[in-house]
Amino acid sequence: MEGVLELPPNVVLRAEDLSVVYKMPRGIARVVDRVTIDFRVGRVTAIVGESGSGKTMMASALMKLVPYPGKIEGRILFRSDLLGGVVDILKLSPKELRIIRWREIAMVFQGAQNSFNPTIKIKDHFLDTARAHGLDEKIALEKACKLLELVKLDPERVLESYPHQLSGGMKQRTLIALSLLLDPKVLILDEPTSALDLISQKVLIDLLKDIHERYHMTMIFITHDLPLIAGLAHYVAVMYAFKVVEFGPIDKIIRNPRHPYTVGLLKAIPPLRGELRFVKPIPGSHPDPVNPPPGCRFWPRCPLATDVCRKVEPKMVEVEKDHFVACHRWEEVEVSKLWT
Amino acid sequence: MDVNEVPLLEVRDLKVHFVIKKRIGGVKGVVRAVDGVSLKIRKGDVIALVGESGCGKTTLGKAIAGLVKPTEGTILWKGRDVWKMYREDPKGFFEYKLRVQYMPQDPYSAFNPSKTVFEILCTPLLKWKRVTSRAECIDYVLKILSDIKVTPPEEYIFRYPHQLSGGERQRILFALITSVEPDVVVADEPITAVDVALRVDLMNLMLEYWERRRVAYVFISHELASARYITEKTGGKIGVMYLGKFVEFGPPRAVIENPLHPYTQALVDAAPELDLEIARKKRLRLREVDIPSATNPPKGCRFHTRCPYAMDICTEKEPPLIEVENGRYVRCWLYAKR
């Protein structure tokens, strides 16, 4: 390995120039395209975007779990305690990856219903995980009970149940308990609330908040629902067309968005309270990964697009402390005037 | 609106129970999916049914559309009992079924995957004689597609459902349902499977159609902000359901900004909001997270097992649905006379 890898003390995981590439008969699809993003220690970062914007792919790439035949390019730097220092996840051997996965970075995949083995009891899911990662079974069961209590489930009942005997919300909470079994320091959650109803959604969000307050874990939360994570996230990365177009603290993203896409996203959500305006979705559709538009990818749908936007790809600039945006005309973005 | 006018559709004390049978004879239990609901739908009324999964909103929607036979109670279509009509006047029953359309939950499985958009859209047109020939049908389908802004329509008519995006599929489903010009559309969670940013797209389409034809909607959703959007734009009502019954019913703004029933309060607490100050403070105040089973609903008020304000009377007697203000109903002992 050339030189010693370094990360600033407040960053635990960093993706540098990360791309996920699929070669297909009709062309090369870059489903994540040169994304650079930092995940801060002990903070909750939400990745928000439309379906098909590459957010799940990016999260999978962080654990080197991209489905075949996808190729990952770039670097993923991670501060690992078990491997002693900062490592590049993409260069690790399968054995080293095995050490990191679940024990240091755990992921809760989309669709809890399908993440369980329907033929074994919940208890055996916990034991399986413990065995695979060298944790004593007795300790594992004790811990499982504690974690299940933490997610407001009755351990005695749940451990002896088969997955089909639990409701969707209960399965999702069990899955979160399972992902915490080995005390990971980074938890990646991929749309954990999709297919859950309102109350179970909120229960889950409140739980994650409790867990975060208790363990100060770094969380990466992937969702298409920005209001959902408003009370939970500290940072938001907005993805559009396989790139991060805006990144910053949630207060700044919601109160002072600088990318026209973010503004459109915020304005497309009907408000729960207050005055009811006519809400309009962003016109047009999301680009194809094989042949994205040149220049800024958002220009075909953007009301501010000029010639520069059509030709030159905008770079990420820091518009205020910690707040980054990739737009040529960010200075002219006025929330009240756009998308009316 | 004339109070004495016969409503388009009236639901009187409707009950839909499903019997769970044991493998070898006998009854294991009864799921009381809908357990005593009354409702009137007039021309152009918009009613949003909200509640958790398992509260019976989908079953109520299906019963309104005549897809499930009620166990007790009646559904009146223009004053005539629907299920009596089914036995005695099949023609009248089909007229009702045509005029009340059900829009299924999942746009992915609603279409036959081996038929093109054109074939899907022209089947009801030919069946109900909206058009007489296939040639005329093409023009009609092209018009429908450009009406719902699926453009260019020529490109879409020969596509298969899997070649459409989620949003397009939903628009086409809506076009299919409205192509027979119904008076009542029961839309079952139409926006749940769609990205948050695209949800208003379908709702705007529904609103546009409402403006044009004053169709009545029964909009089933568990999402309060959307329920508010569609009802407030049309002067409709929100009905909150819990274990087969209405617990609160009223105009959207009042229900959301001043929820009376503790369950409605929980739903409002659970609804995501963009206002950061509110979002960071909001916490659920339920004693129990999970909904009890509808097979064996709690005695007394059905919500008492989870209610933060439960009193002694709540465990014994079921509260009546009372009108607290004009057009605003709530079923809770906090407001009812004991």
Side-chain angles (χ1 to χ4, degrees):
Chain A
M1 222 179 275
E2 68 289 356
V4 181
L5 301 171
E6 271 183 25
L7 276 178
N10 64 341
V11 176
V12 62
L13 184 67
R14 167 186 279 172
E16 260 180 24
D17 257 343
L18 180 71
S19 298
V20 176
V21 186
Y22 279 88
K23 283 194 181 125
M24 297 194 294
R26 64 193 183 96
I28 294 170
R30 301 181 81 88
V31 291
V32 175
D33 197 6
R34 284 162 290 147
V35 167
T36 298
I37 185 172
D38 280 354
F39 298 101
R40 317 277 157 112
V41 177
R43 296 279 152 193
V44 181
T45 306
I47 300 174
V48 183
E50 285 172 61
S51 22
S53 60
K55 45 194 197 316
T56 296
M57 269 302 168
M58 187 173 104
S60 315
L62 292 176
M63 281 180 88
K64 209 181 171 187
L65 280 173
V66 167
Y68 180 81
K71 291 225 162 55
I72 312 177
E73 292 166 6
R75 287 208 299 187
I76 296 164
L77 303 182
F78 173 63
R79 189 194 315 282
S80 166
D81 298 329
L82 296 171
L83 297 177
V86 178
V87 291
D88 179 355
I89 288 184
L90 298 180
K91 293 212 176 98
L92 294 181
S93 67
K95 213 171 157 191
E96 287 170 313
L97 272 173
R98 226 179 136 74
I99 295 174
I100 285 191
R101 286 184 190 152
W102 216 320
R103 280 166 76 184
E104 289 205 293
I105 309 179
M107 185 159 178
V108 176
F109 293 93
Q110 204 165 2
Q113 343 290 61
N114 314 325
S115 290
F116 287 108
N117 180 345
T119 61
I120 61 173
K121 286 180 182 171
I122 298 296
K123 190 173 154 189
D124 295 312
H125 284 93
F126 279 93
L127 291 178
D128 257 2
T129 311
R131 257 177 247 133
H133 293 271
L135 184 72
D136 183 70
E137 292 192 10
K138 224 177 129 195
I139 299 175
L141 271 189
E142 267 169 37
K143 203 142 174 233
C145 288
K146 261 194 213 141
L147 286 169
L148 287 171
E149 262 165 35
L150 182 73
V151 296
K152 298 196 174 121
L153 289 168
D154 173 13
E156 272 166 45
R157 205 199 121 196
V158 172
L159 284 174
E160 292 301 324
S161 306
Y162 285 95
H164 75 268
Q165 291 170 309
L166 305 175
S167 75
M170 290 165 86
K171 261 189 243 178
Q172 190 60 270
R173 278 181 273 151
T174 310
L175 201 61
I176 289 190
L178 186 58
S179 67
L180 296 176
L181 184 66
L182 306 172
D183 296 311
K185 50 182 200 178
V186 177
L187 183 64
I188 304 175
L189 301 132
D190 188 2
E191 302 253 11
T193 60
S194 60
L196 294 188
D197 66 45
L198 203 61
I199 301 258
S200 328
Q201 233 178 42
K202 180 65 179 168
V203 169
L204 198 79
I205 295 286
D206 283 357
L207 266 178
L208 289 173
K209 221 168 156 178
D210 289 342
I211 292 171
H212 181 264
E213 270 162 27
R214 199 141 150 194
Y215 299 107
H216 296 287
M217 195 179 277
T218 308
M219 288 188 190
I220 300 172
F221 196 113
I222 299 163
T223 182
H224 62 87
D225 194 345
L226 192 53
L228 182 78
I229 44 86
L232 176 69
H234 304 101
Y235 289 92
V236 178
V238 180
M239 277 191 90
Y240 179 75
F242 327 108
K243 282 177 160 302
V244 172
V245 293
E246 189 161 4
F247 177 84
I250 186 157
D251 296 70
K252 287 180 179 156
I253 297 282
I254 287 182
R255 294 192 180 126
N256 185 26
R258 292 285 96 201
H259 197 285
Y261 178 68
T262 315
V263 179
L265 212 56
L266 289 169
K267 285 207 169 178
I269 300 161
L272 185 66
R273 281 167 228 266
E275 205 195 320
L276 194 68
R277 52 200 162 72
F278 187 69
V279 182
K280 265 203 308 199
I282 304 171
S285 56
H286 195 269
D288 185 70
V290 174
N291 204 359
C296 169
R297 302 213 162 154
F298 190 55
W299 75 258
R301 300 170 79 182
C302 182
L304 296 177
T306 57
D307 276 348
V308 186
C309 305
R310 287 181 197 115
K311 284 176 197 137
V312 187
E313 193 174 324
K315 285 206 178 64
M316 271 282 192
V317 283
E318 188 165 11
V319 295
E320 51 191 320
K321 196 183 170 286
D322 255 8
H323 184 179
F324 299 84
V325 68
C327 176
H328 290 300
R329 306 191 63 192
W330 63 269
E331 281 161 297
E332 293 148 71
V333 172
E334 268 182 71
V335 181
S336 55
K337 286 188 187 150
L338 266 183
W339 307 109
T340 44
Chain B
M1 209 176 290
D2 184 9
V3 187
N4 296 321
E5 174 198 292
V6 179
L8 268 181
L9 199 108
E10 192 178 344
V11 176
R12 272 194 205 152
D13 202 26
L14 186 82
K15 289 184 183 171
V16 184
H17 296 174
F18 297 108
V19 175
I20 310 172
K21 286 189 183 129
K22 277 187 188 161
R23 217 176 283 170
I24 329 161
V27 174
K28 207 171 171 186
V30 177
V31 180
R32 298 160 184 274
V34 178
D35 207 16
V37 167
S38 299
L39 194 65
K40 276 180 192 164
I41 300 169
R42 295 189 180 82
K43 188 177 163 60
D45 274 1
V46 176
I47 293 166
L49 301 177
V50 296
E52 288 162 273
S53 24
C55 73
K57 52 194 196 304
T58 294
T59 310
L60 176 60
K62 283 188 174 167
I64 289 172
L67 298 173
V68 228
K69 203 171 167 184
T71 317
E72 267 174 58
T74 44
I75 297 171
L76 303 172
W77 171 248
K78 292 184 178 163
R80 297 174 65 197
D81 184 338
V82 162
W83 290 95
K84 214 165 138 196
M85 245 178 357
Y86 176 70
R87 291 189 303 270
E88 292 161 9
D89 176 19
K91 252 194 177 158
F93 183 75
F94 279 121
E95 173 69 17
Y96 147 75
K97 289 271 270 196
L98 179 65
R99 298 261 142 233
V100 182
Q101 284 293 327
Y102 177 77
M103 182 168 163
Q105 204 163 39
D106 184 3
Y108 290 80
S109 52
F111 294 127
N112 182 341
S114 63
K115 294 229 161 123
T116 61
V117 169
F118 174 72
E119 285 171 304
I120 287 167
L121 284 172
C122 82
T123 313
L125 295 175
L126 289 168
K127 157 100 179 143
W128 298 106
K129 310 248 168 4
R130 290 280 182 277
V131 292
T132 43
S133 68
R134 262 183 109 78
E136 208 183 319
C137 203
I138 292 184
D139 293 337
Y140 208 98
V141 168
L142 287 176
K143 197 188 150 281
I144 289 175
L145 288 177
S146 47
D147 273 356
I148 56 165
K149 295 190 196 93
V150 173
T151 47
E154 297 80 15
E155 219 172 86
Y156 277 91
I157 55 172
F158 297 116
R159 285 204 190 177
Y160 287 93
H162 73 270
Q163 294 168 310
L164 306 167
S165 74
E168 284 161 358
R169 227 176 266 144
Q170 215 141 28
R171 292 169 151 268
I172 289 171
L173 181 61
F174 184 71
L176 174 71
I177 270 138
T178 50
S179 65
V180 293
E181 299 181 339
D183 292 323
V184 180
V185 173
V186 180
D188 190 359
E189 307 237 13
I191 48 158
T192 311
V194 191
D195 267 15
V196 169
L198 296 172
R199 283 181 181 168
V200 280
D201 201 27
L202 184 82
M203 289 196 284
N204 286 346
L205 188 71
M206 290 177 76
L207 288 171
E208 225 172 78
Y209 189 73
W210 181 84
E211 289 286 341
R212 245 191 358 250
R213 286 219 44 243
R214 289 283 181 244
V215 58
Y217 286 129
V218 177
F219 186 86
I220 301 168
S221 173
H222 60 239
E223 226 263 314
L224 276 183
S226 308
R228 179 205 169 191
Y229 186 71
I230 200 146
T231 45
E232 201 167 313
K233 291 259 176 212
T234 52
K237 299 269 172 73
I238 288 185
V240 181
M241 279 185 83
Y242 189 72
L243 288 178
K245 287 193 170 186
F246 277 128
V247 292
E248 188 159 352
F249 194 87
R253 199 140 188 178
V255 169
I256 287 170
E257 283 176 14
N258 179 25
L260 294 177
H261 196 282
Y263 182 62
T264 320
Q265 289 168 7
L267 286 182
V268 173
D269 285 340
E273 260 180 275
L274 264 179
D275 191 309
L276 287 171
E277 253 117 67
I278 300 180
R280 284 186 184 135
K281 260 190 273 157
K282 281 215 284 194
R283 284 266 169 164
L284 269 187
R285 286 164 299 173
L286 288 178
R287 288 200 297 159
E288 184 94 29
V289 221
D290 297 298
I291 190 168
S293 146
T295 337
N296 193 8
K299 263 204 195 106
C301 170
R302 295 175 176 215
F303 187 59
H304 84 255
T305 51
R306 301 166 85 189
C307 181
Y309 311 110
M311 302 169 284
D312 287 343
I313 189 169
C314 306
T315 56
E316 291 149 17
K317 250 174 91 185
E318 172 148 36
L321 192 67
I322 54 155
E323 188 165 10
V324 278
E325 299 158 30
N326 190 21
R328 182 125 192 243
Y329 298 84
V330 64
R331 186 193 293 279
C332 178
W333 282 121
L334 289 174
Y335 310 96
K337 269 196 207 117
R338 272 161 248 178

